[in-house]
Amino acid sequence: MKFSKKATLGLLFSLTLIVAGCGQKSASDANTASTGTSVPVETETAKLNVQVSFYPMYEFTKNVAGDLADVHTLVPAGMEPHDWEPTPQDIASIEKADVLVYNGAGMESWMDQVTGSLSNASLIQVEASHGINLLEGTEDEHDHGHEDSDGTDTHDHEDESAGEAHDHDHADEVATEEHDHDHDAEAEEAGHDHDHGGLDPHVWLSPALAVKEVRNIEAGLAQAAPEHAEQFKQNADAYVAQLESLDQDFKAAVTDSKRKDFITQHAAFGYLAQEYGLQQVPIAGLSPEQEPSAAQMASVIDFAKEHQVKTIFFETLVSSKVSETIASEVGAKTAVLNPIEGLTEEEIAAGMDYISVMRQNLEALKLALNE
């Protein structure tokens, strides 16, 4: 029997009540149990308990929080986050958190239902993409015309917020409010149970937009711990300086490139393409798990042949079979263009992070755009 995502999450919510309530004792309870009397427990200034959805949110949050928060990632390392769903233990962790940071724009399709089930009224929810003009994802990502560099339309994310104003110059407007985004969880396509709500969520792949996400996270942390607001700002300023340097390097690299188009495994690089005047030609749509049709494959192959594309990009967390098939058909090579939806165990062991992976992406693009 196949259960819908809604039914599965509903069952998880029920189980969470059991998980969250079992095995929990406060420090004073444990002390009483061991000594028979209640003895005051010495405490240091408590760190914020911050839960984040997936890797880029961890990287941005950790750089802003520094040692003032314990930051935990819900999606495990090496797992593709598009179709990940929280376990009862994950929901229990969110319930106990001070701050929840997520990308939004439909990336975390489970978010509205999970947060709607929580009883933690003081939980500060930070939607990192809040206030950013989002790109529309389309049913057919394979219209390879030349009118728009990224092949997508912009969507003002502020329109989704039930009339709320989203001026991120004010920390008190960060998402402690409930975001009533209508991400229709019942719209299940055959063989594909993931929905971005029609929007492209991959904003973190533009360094310029990553800056905005970092600032939103800074405001959310400052709201949770206003006594540390100045330290959060200093940390954010330092990290933003790195992102701005990365942004300038991308601009310099593409200014005089021989070509402006690139073929990638799925439509993750629309914001990067828009920012730097490039044309993304995706093999699949917004989710890397989506299999392209024969007609879509033929369209990409025709584009590659017509424009003499010599590199077909693939990703690290999903199979490269489709990219390899197209590369073989057109006589091109393959290379990695990483959407940084998560790090592999090897990347973690090598000490890689968002900045270093984006610099690898930059070098890969420089080569492909000048062949």
Side-chain angles (χ1 to χ4, degrees):
M1 180 182 295
K2 181 179 178 181
F3 294 95
S4 70
K5 182 175 288 186
K6 268 190 173 179
T8 303
L9 283 174
L11 178 60
L12 288 177
F13 300 149
S14 299
L15 292 173
T16 299
L17 296 177
I18 300 173
V19 173
C22 292
Q24 292 185 357
K25 285 187 178 183
S26 68
S28 59
D29 289 339
N31 195 55
T32 300
S34 63
T35 65
T37 60
S38 180
V39 178
V41 177
E42 294 184 6
T43 59
E44 298 179 357
T45 301
K47 292 184 177 183
L48 288 175
N49 176 357
V50 182
Q51 298 289 325
V52 303
S53 55
F54 68 117
Y55 174 71
M57 300 302 101
Y58 171 85
E59 178 76 10
F60 299 163
T61 302
K62 189 63 180 175
N63 275 280
V64 175
D67 60 1
L68 297 174
D70 291 322
V71 183
H72 307 278
T73 310
L74 292 165
V75 178
M79 181 172 289
E80 212 293 319
H82 281 262
D83 288 314
W84 178 87
E85 294 180 10
T87 65
Q89 291 84 356
D90 294 322
I91 300 172
S93 296
I94 296 171
E95 182 72 67
K96 293 182 288 186
D98 299 307
V99 180
L100 172 63
V101 178
Y102 62 104
N103 183 76
M107 183 66 189
E108 301 89 350
S109 60
W110 46 269
M111 183 61 65
D112 287 346
Q113 195 169 359
V114 168
T115 55
S117 74
L118 302 176
S119 60
N120 181 0
S122 64
L123 176 67
I124 291 177
Q125 299 174 41
V126 181
E127 184 177 31
S129 66
H130 195 61
I132 292 174
N133 289 337
L134 299 175
L135 299 177
E136 293 279 2
T138 61
E139 290 297 318
D140 183 4
E141 293 285 349
H142 301 278
D143 180 10
H144 304 311
H146 297 279
E147 288 130 4
D148 297 313
S149 63
D150 56 8
T152 49
D153 298 322
T154 58
H155 173 83
D156 190 348
H157 195 19
E158 295 179 7
D159 292 343
E160 286 198 322
S161 308
E164 297 163 359
H166 300 299
D167 181 357
H168 294 295
D169 291 335
H170 302 286
D172 60 358
E173 293 182 7
V174 172
T176 50
E177 60 213 17
E178 294 183 6
H179 296 292
D180 187 18
H181 301 303
D182 183 16
H183 303 306
D184 187 1
E186 293 180 347
E188 297 180 3
E189 298 178 15
H192 185 64
D193 190 30
H194 181 81
D195 180 24
H196 284 303
L199 300 175
D200 182 350
H202 303 89
V203 295
W204 64 90
L205 288 169
S206 161
L209 295 182
V211 169
K212 295 183 179 181
E213 293 207 299
V214 167
R215 291 304 186 188
N216 286 344
I217 292 168
E218 175 202 342
L221 294 179
Q223 185 173 344
E227 68 275 17
H228 297 308
E230 183 56 35
Q231 186 61 57
F232 293 142
K233 183 181 186 304
Q234 291 178 17
N235 294 345
D237 288 349
Y239 191 58
V240 163
Q242 296 182 56
L243 294 174
E244 289 175 341
S245 174
L246 180 65
D247 174 49
Q248 291 302 313
D249 289 344
F250 265 93
K251 288 177 179 177
V254 303
T255 297
D256 298 318
S257 60
K258 293 180 180 178
R259 61 188 314 128
K260 300 297 182 184
D261 50 59
F262 61 97
I263 296 177
T264 187
Q265 187 157 337
H266 87 284
F269 296 90
Y271 294 99
L272 183 146
Q274 177 180 255
E275 189 69 33
Y276 304 116
L278 302 175
Q279 180 188 9
Q280 169 188 233
V281 180
I283 299 169
L286 290 174
S287 172
E289 302 298 332
Q290 182 178 344
E291 289 289 336
S293 67
Q296 290 169 336
M297 290 277 286
S299 175
V300 174
I301 288 171
D302 288 345
F303 181 92
K305 288 179 176 178
E306 178 184 351
H307 295 85
Q308 300 181 338
V309 176
K310 296 181 172 58
T311 299
I312 309 295
F313 286 115
F314 68 96
E315 302 171 14
T316 53
L317 296 182
V318 294
S319 171
S320 60
K321 182 178 179 181
V322 173
S323 294
E324 290 170 353
T325 298
I326 291 177
S328 177
E329 180 70 22
V330 303
K333 64 179 182 295
T334 59
V336 171
L337 196 63
N338 196 332
I340 324 182
E341 293 173 348
L343 297 182
T344 65
E345 294 293 345
E346 293 76 14
E347 287 169 336
I348 294 171
M352 301 293 290
D353 58 17
Y354 172 88
I355 297 289
S356 58
V357 174
M358 282 298 290
R359 290 202 172 278
Q360 286 186 341
N361 283 344
L362 174 58
E363 293 305 312
L365 274 173
K366 283 167 64 175
L367 290 174
L369 296 177
N370 288 285
E371 292 176 320

